[in-house]
Amino acid sequence: MKAVLQRVREARVDIAGETVGAIGAGLLVLLCAERGDTDAVADRMLAKILKLRIFSDDAGKMNRSVQDLDGQGACGGLLLVSQFTLAADTRGGNRPSFTNAAAPDDGRRLYDYFVAQARAAHPDVQTGRFAAEMQVHLVNDGPVTIPLRIEPAA
């Protein structure tokens, strides 16, 4: 499973001119299920995202997670957006191959599972819509952009 995390001051997802998900300060997570990914991989990805210390503390050091954004226990938002293009393989020619992406039914199931687990573990979770044409708006904070990959267990 791959993800790109963007620390944001605010972010939203629009579909056909309608905002379907929006957060203030927190993380925009672009998420891609790959072939061979499982619920256990999704669980490990979520645990990493929730605990990753990429928000500044009072001294300006990256010591806080999205779960403790202000150091007083206030959580930041999570905006989860499916993005199969993170599985792009560009090694052969100029047109990306997406054969590493999970099949659409598997990708949807894993995305839905990830969202459900995130909502059970975190109080502010918003989403885009799987397989929809979306416009993602964000104000990147820092900028801080972190790529993550969790491999299936061998």
Side-chain angles (χ1 to χ4, degrees), residues 16-17 21 23 25-26 41-42 45 63 73 82 90 103 113 133 135 138 144 148:
I23 61 170
V41 171
M45 176 67 82
N63 274 327
S82 63
T90 59
Y113 175 83
E133 184 72 26
Q135 291 71 52
L138 69 138
V144 174
L148 288 178

Side-chain angles (χ1 to χ4, degrees), residues 32-108:
C32 175
E34 297 181 287
R35 293 189 183 281
D37 284 345
T38 62
D39 291 357
V41 171
D43 290 340
R44 291 193 343 253
M45 176 67 82
L46 178 61
K48 185 70 163 183
I49 289 169
L50 292 176
K51 292 181 187 337
L52 197 63
R53 298 185 311 168
I54 60 173
F55 292 90
S56 299
D57 63 15
D58 294 335
K61 298 208 184 262
M62 287 189 192
N63 274 327
R64 294 188 180 142
S65 72
V66 71
Q67 292 186 307
D68 189 25
L69 196 67
D70 68 352
Q72 311 276 330
C75 293
L78 285 178
L79 179 55
L80 307 177
V81 177
S82 63
Q83 188 169 356
F84 82 94
T85 60
L86 291 177
D89 181 352
T90 59
R91 292 175 293 176
N94 295 320
R95 184 174 181 186
S97 168
F98 300 105
T99 58
N100 290 334
D105 287 345
D106 291 336
R108 179 183 302 272

Side-chain angles (χ1 to χ4, degrees), residues 7 11 43 47 107 127 129 137 147 149 151:
R7 188 177 77 181
D43 290 340
T127 66
R129 193 171 298 147
H137 306 263
R149 182 159 196 207
E151 304 264 351

Side-chain angles (χ1 to χ4, degrees), residues 107-123:
R108 179 183 302 272
R109 189 194 67 72
L110 281 165
Y111 176 73
D112 290 345
Y113 175 83
F114 190 93
V115 168
Q117 295 303 106
R119 286 186 168 144
H122 194 76

Side-chain angles (χ1 to χ4, degrees), residues 125-150:
V125 177
Q126 300 290 312
T127 66
R129 193 171 298 147
F130 188 87
E133 184 72 26
M134 297 175 274
Q135 291 71 52
V136 180
H137 306 263
L138 69 138
V139 177
N140 198 322
D141 184 20
V144 174
T145 302
I146 308 283
L148 288 178
R149 182 159 196 207
I150 303 291

